[in-house]
Amino acid sequence: MREKKTCTDPYLQHAWVSVCIDILTRNVARAEFEVRKNGTVERDTALANLFKFPNKNLSRFDLWKQTCAWWSLDGEAFWWFGENYVCGIPTEIFILNPRYMQHVVDGGKITKWVYTEEGSGRPLMILPDEVIHFKDWNPWNVYRGVSPLVSLGLEVEQDLLAAKQNTGLLKEGGVPKGLLKTDQVLTEAEAELLARTWDRKYGRGMKNRVAVLGKGTEYQPLTF
């Protein structure tokens, strides 16, 4: 049976993954760029305007930011030219979620993409010339990218487990709140009764459990 991973979404669950990707994408998005054709800068052409206004809901900054974010997190990113695209220079660019993209291969080539967004239930068929696929080299799947976090999977998992352990330690208390000491011998029933009585009067549930060493009693507080 395959062991269930603790970290299933590094960007959501691991703080440093989120911080690093956010810093990287902001730096990429704010970089100045030019559109050139044959060495000449284009300023008011269809292609130049496309990168200024990718679509009505996407700014030029978000285009690069989201592209970089998906590429950094999943090892691939997709630009789609929209349902109205026919040929030539597109009029719109949309960023697609790589996790909802499925490739269909025939004869060793991708013949179409199937995009099924969560909650929509309606698959969208996309031809290869209607999309640009940015991807990192993947030794296990030549058609898709691979997340750069793959090689860091164990370290990310260990960090998350350690963080959860520390959270539990802080919530529940890592050491007893105090000790009840005696030089007499206690039966198990007497020890339980003594602990319950003390806990009921002075404790707060699991956070302040006391350790019973003997019959009553001297109380010795402990530090964390």
Side-chain angles (χ1 to χ4, degrees):
M1 183 177 179
R2 190 172 182 179
E3 184 179 355
K4 186 178 179 180
K5 286 187 175 182
T6 302
C7 187
T8 56
D9 190 340
Y11 187 79
L12 173 66
Q13 296 172 285
H14 197 285
W16 283 111
V17 172
S18 175
V19 169
C20 291
I21 289 180
D22 286 348
I23 292 175
L24 175 63
T25 56
R26 284 199 300 269
N27 287 336
V28 169
R30 68 187 182 185
E32 294 295 331
F33 67 93
E34 296 176 337
V35 177
R36 290 175 175 264
K37 183 177 181 180
N38 298 325
T40 303
V41 177
E42 296 192 350
R43 302 190 184 279
D44 194 24
T45 63
L47 186 59
N49 290 330
L50 174 64
F51 284 96
K52 292 178 183 177
F53 310 102
N55 66 59
K56 62 181 181 180
N57 296 317
L58 194 70
S59 69
R60 52 173 287 192
F61 302 101
D62 288 334
L63 174 69
W64 299 113
K65 185 176 182 179
Q66 292 180 26
T67 302
C68 179
W70 280 121
W71 202 343
S72 301
L73 187 60
D74 280 29
E76 58 183 354
F78 289 89
W79 286 1
W80 178 47
F81 301 148
E83 293 181 306
N84 298 323
Y85 177 74
V86 178
C87 63
I89 298 176
T91 58
E92 294 179 302
I93 296 176
F94 297 88
I95 306 293
L96 299 182
N97 186 335
R99 300 173 186 180
Y100 300 149
M101 291 287 279
Q102 295 294 328
H103 56 285
V104 178
V105 178
D106 186 16
K109 293 183 178 180
I110 296 178
T111 56
K112 65 180 177 181
W113 294 91
V114 181
Y115 185 71
T116 308
E117 193 167 7
E118 186 177 7
S120 67
R122 183 178 67 89
L124 177 66
M125 304 299 173
I126 302 175
L127 297 177
D129 60 356
E130 298 174 343
V131 68
I132 295 178
H133 184 200
F134 305 92
K135 64 186 179 70
D136 288 331
W137 175 70
N138 187 341
W140 305 285
N141 186 340
V142 297
Y143 304 108
R144 303 300 297 264
V146 62
S147 172
L149 296 173
V150 166
S151 59
L152 299 174
L154 182 59
E155 284 74 11
V156 171
E157 189 87 357
Q158 289 174 344
D159 282 353
L160 185 58
L161 287 172
K164 285 189 173 183
Q165 184 70 22
N166 289 338
T167 300
L169 181 68
L170 293 172
K171 283 185 176 180
E172 302 299 334
V175 294
K177 191 72 174 179
L179 303 177
L180 294 177
K181 301 194 301 181
T182 183
D183 55 0
Q184 301 181 46
V185 178
L186 288 176
T187 66
E188 184 176 350
E190 290 174 326
E192 286 293 331
L193 178 60
L194 187 59
R196 286 199 304 269
T197 301
W198 182 275
D199 201 35
R200 186 174 62 251
K201 289 184 177 180
Y202 307 107
R204 292 185 180 178
M206 295 298 296
K207 291 185 178 181
N208 296 290
R209 283 289 182 186
V210 294
V212 180
L213 297 183
K215 201 167 186 176
T217 59
E218 174 189 349
Y219 177 73
Q220 177 182 334
L222 298 178
T223 59
F224 181 73

